[in-house]
């Protein structure tokens, strides 16, 4: 089975962006509303494929408890994780936290709790949690280390009443241990599997995407330096948002590049991603970049911008540089269909745009050289801040891996010129191919599924996993922040979502269109 992924990459050289995109996104992907799969509670509610909205409604109707949700996902993980390897470890206190959430719900007035209250969330194993779980970036070198505090985003999740159910697998050290290592591999987690195809899940936030796609959890957090949210979300047919750098705190996250690192949601629906993003966005005094970015966060959060008419009047640029599909008529026809749909929904498409010096981003060494320098200094600072750790520097980590080998600028100007000169709200690009442009400039991006093809998969890796996707990149005029507004595209020929296919899955029904 091949599938198409609709990717939405948004750019904003200042910060916020995510308000325009939620209107945009809500019109770019119509995602499922309720599911008719097995695994129902005694009250008849099915947890499998349920969204945050579904779960909260079931809580209100007393059809479901947080404890039941946690138990369901723990069982899913027990059954499927030995094959998929999306989850690295579970939180031994998750059930106790769920019981606490259930008691709080009984004593609080309806509507007074956060939308994420009592919802289990999986976080990437680079995001620190001050609890009984490890934070190791997938490496045995950090096993047993003690972190000084929760990561900034985890603090916000706990305050909202969310339950950290466990840590997701990843490409070790966010795919910075070795360029030769396969996507989704780490010494601790071994090799994660794409639940659709049972091969590469892309990375580095592989486990976060695998787990959401396979119903091991409803929502998750990943991190991105260059493509690490967008690519696995693309490959595993889920929704990923790469926020503008500084919109979400990186404090307490194992770093790669302070200039490019960001933390964002990986979910099954745009609506869930919006809820998770508005929960984790905001000021953290331990990350100075959030202070500047916070002034662009819309009052009331991002979910308010989930509107079906969000594309009307928006100017979207089409960068044909990324549409070189060759003789693959399926890809060409699918993307043209999406562009037609976008026009029909009221957007103005500015076609055949070009970014000056775009080849420098993809063929030049500048980004790699800069990130290599930043990785060493930022990782050393992170390791020194740990309360206890087997390693205290990058040199220590390299020595550990050697000892235990068996275990283990021109572009920016051109981009802004295209956006501002054409008065664009977004740029439309296929798949995660635009990630380097966004990464270097700190711009945000969103990826959402676009459709499926029921045919024998091509043997070529890229064709096999990364069939049609569409990317929207948003940059505000004069470097001010655009507001990400919604996103839901109705694909006329693909109005249902194909379930994940792997040996242990019983999922047999399509995801129905969801607003």
């Amino acid at each position: 089975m091949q599938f198409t992924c609709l990717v939405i990459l948004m750019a904003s050289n200042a910060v916020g962006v995510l308000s325009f995109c939620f209107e945009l996104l809500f019109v770019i992907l119509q995602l499922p509303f309720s599911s008719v799969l097995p695994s129902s509670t005694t009250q008849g509610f099915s947890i499998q494929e349920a969204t945050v909205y579904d779960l909260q409604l079931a809580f209100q109707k007393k059809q479901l408890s947080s404890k039941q949700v946690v138990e369901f996902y723990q069982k899913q993980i027990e059954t499927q994780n030995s094959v998929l390897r999306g989850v690295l470890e579970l939180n031994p206190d998750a059930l106790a936290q769920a019981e606490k959430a259930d008691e709080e719900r009984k004593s609080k007035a309806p509507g007074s709790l956060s939308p994420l209250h009592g919802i289990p969330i999986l976080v990437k194993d680079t995001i620190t949690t001050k609890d009984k779980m490890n934070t190791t970036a997938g490496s045995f070198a950090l096993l047993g280390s003690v972190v000084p505090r929760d990561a900034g985003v985890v603090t916000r999740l706990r305050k909202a009443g969310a339950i950290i159910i466990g840590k997701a697998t990843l490409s070790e050290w966010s795919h910075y241990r070795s360029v030769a290592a396969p996507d989704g591999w780490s010494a601790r987690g071994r090799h994660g599997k794409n639940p659709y195809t049972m091969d590469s899940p892309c990375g580095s936030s592989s486990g976060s995407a695998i787990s959401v796609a396979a119903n091991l959890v409803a929502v998750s957090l990943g991190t991105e330096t260059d493509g690490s949210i967008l690519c696995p979300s693309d490959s595993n047919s889920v929704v990923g948002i790469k926020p503008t750098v500084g919109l979400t705190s990186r404090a307490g996250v194992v770093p790669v590049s302070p200039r490019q690192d960001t933390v964002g949601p990986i979910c099954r629906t745009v609506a869930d991603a919006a809820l998770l993003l508005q929960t984790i966005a905001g000021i953290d005094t331990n990350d100075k970049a959030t202070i500047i970015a916070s002034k662009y966060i819309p009052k009331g959060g991002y979910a308010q911008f989930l509107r079906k008419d969000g594309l009307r009047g928006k100017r979207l640029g089409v960068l044909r540089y990324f549409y070189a599909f060759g003789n693959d008529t399926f890809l060409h026809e699918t993307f043209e269909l999406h562009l037609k749909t976008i026009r029909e929904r009221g957007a103005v498409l500015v076609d055949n745009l070009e970014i000056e010096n775009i080849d420098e981003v993809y063929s030049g060494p500048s980004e790699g050289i800069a990130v290599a320098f930043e990785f060493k200094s930022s990782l050393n600072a992170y390791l020194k801040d740990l309360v206890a750790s087997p390693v205290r520097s990058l040199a220590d980590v390299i020595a550990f891996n050697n000892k235990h080998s068996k275990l283990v600028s021109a572009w920016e100007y051109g981009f802004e010129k295209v956006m501002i000169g054409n008065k664009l709200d977004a740029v439309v690009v296929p798949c995660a191919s635009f990630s380097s442009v966004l990464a270097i400039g700190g711009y945000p991006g969103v990826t959402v599924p676009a459709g499926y093809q029921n045919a024998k998969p091509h043997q070529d890796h890229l064709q096999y996993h990364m069939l049609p996707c569409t990317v929207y990149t948003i940059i505000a005029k004069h470097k001010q922040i655009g507001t990400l507004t919604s996103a839901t595209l109705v694909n006329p020929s693909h109005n249902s979502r194909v379930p994940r296919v792997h040996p242990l899955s019983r999922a047999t029904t399509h995801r129905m269109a969801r607003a």
Side-chain angles (χ1 to χ4, degrees), residues 193-220:
K193 300 292 185 183
N194 183 320
Y196 282 93
T197 60
M198 294 308 292
D199 63 356
S200 175
C202 200
S204 67
S205 302
S206 51
S208 301
I210 291 167
S211 299
V212 167
N215 275 286
L216 306 186
V217 73
V219 294
S220 68

Side-chain angles (χ1 to χ4, degrees), residues 197-485:
T197 60
M198 294 308 292
D199 63 356
S200 175
C202 200
S204 67
S205 302
S206 51
S208 301
I210 291 167
S211 299
V212 167
N215 275 286
L216 306 186
V217 73
V219 294
S220 68
L221 279 187
T223 69
E224 175 157 342
T225 305
D226 184 340
S228 290
I229 289 174
L230 299 176
C231 188
S233 297
D234 171 12
S235 293
N236 293 276
S237 196
V238 292
V239 176
I241 297 179
K242 177 223 179 234
T244 306
V245 172
L247 186 67
T248 57
S249 173
R250 291 84 50 81
V253 177
V254 181
V256 175
S257 164
R259 193 172 39 82
Q260 296 184 194
D261 291 347
T262 188
V263 180
I266 296 179
C267 307
R268 285 192 293 271
T269 71
V270 172
D272 282 358
L275 289 175
L276 185 49
L277 178 64
Q278 71 185 28
T279 301
I280 63 173
I283 292 178
D284 181 355
T285 55
N286 292 315
D287 183 353
K288 294 180 181 178
T290 62
I291 298 173
I292 299 173
S294 65
K295 66 181 71 173
Y296 300 105
I297 298 173
K299 186 177 181 180
Y302 295 112
Q304 64 182 306
F305 299 105
L306 293 165
R307 300 200 297 262
K308 289 185 177 181
D309 64 348
L311 281 176
R312 190 167 304 282
K314 304 303 180 186
R315 290 175 61 83
L316 310 182
V318 181
L319 301 175
R320 292 292 178 177
Y321 177 93
F322 297 95
Y323 288 75
F325 301 134
N327 296 323
D328 195 324
T329 56
F330 172 71
L331 287 171
H332 174 76
E333 291 173 0
T334 300
F335 275 103
E336 290 305 313
L337 175 63
H338 285 306
L339 294 176
K340 178 183 177 182
T341 302
I342 290 170
R343 286 191 191 95
E344 291 172 349
R345 290 305 181 96
V348 177
L349 292 187
V350 185
D351 210 340
N352 297 308
L353 297 179
E354 296 181 358
I355 295 177
E356 294 178 7
N357 303 313
I358 187 65
D359 289 328
E360 292 183 16
V361 176
Y362 292 95
S363 61
S366 302
E367 182 189 10
I369 293 171
V371 171
F373 277 104
E374 292 170 333
F375 178 67
K376 180 178 180 179
S377 59
S378 58
L379 181 61
N380 286 346
Y382 171 85
L383 294 174
K384 288 178 181 177
D385 191 45
L386 294 175
V387 176
S389 176
V391 291
R392 288 292 183 180
S393 68
L394 176 58
D396 290 346
V397 174
I398 294 171
F400 179 94
N401 287 338
N402 289 335
K403 182 178 180 180
H404 303 280
S405 58
K406 292 183 179 180
L407 289 177
V408 290
S409 64
W411 70 270
E412 183 175 346
Y413 170 75
F415 181 42
E416 294 187 8
K417 182 178 179 181
V418 168
M419 294 296 296
I420 296 171
N422 292 280
K423 299 179 180 180
L424 301 179
D425 293 296
V427 170
V428 184
V429 180
C431 306
S433 54
F434 205 54
S435 65
S436 291
V437 174
L438 303 184
I440 297 171
Y443 304 119
V446 179
T447 175
V448 296
Y452 305 83
Q453 180 187 24
N454 292 316
K456 182 178 179 180
H458 294 295
Q459 295 303 310
D460 179 77
H461 178 78
L462 291 176
Q463 292 177 339
Y464 193 60
H465 294 297
M466 302 177 68
L467 291 181
C469 344
T470 304
V471 174
Y472 298 89
T473 306
I474 299 170
I475 179 172
K477 301 170 186 176
H478 310 302
K479 295 191 176 183
Q480 308 231 338
I481 301 311
T483 327
L484 177 67
T485 57

Side-chain angles (χ1 to χ4, degrees), residues 44-99:
F45 178 82
S46 175
I47 302 173
Q48 188 145 1
E49 292 290 302
T51 69
V52 170
Y53 285 109
D54 295 333
L55 295 173
Q56 290 294 353
L57 184 59
F59 290 156
Q60 293 173 20
K61 292 183 176 180
K62 298 186 177 1
Q63 294 177 304
L64 187 67
S65 68
S66 292
K67 182 180 179 182
Q68 287 176 307
V69 178
V70 169
E71 289 175 333
F72 169 77
Y73 287 130
Q74 287 178 336
K75 184 64 176 178
Q76 290 282 92
I77 293 166
E78 178 186 344
T79 303
Q80 301 181 33
N81 198 56
S82 61
V83 174
L84 297 179
R85 297 192 180 276
V87 180
L88 192 56
E89 64 179 283
L90 289 172
N91 183 358
D93 295 326
L95 280 176
Q97 292 175 11
E99 291 172 349

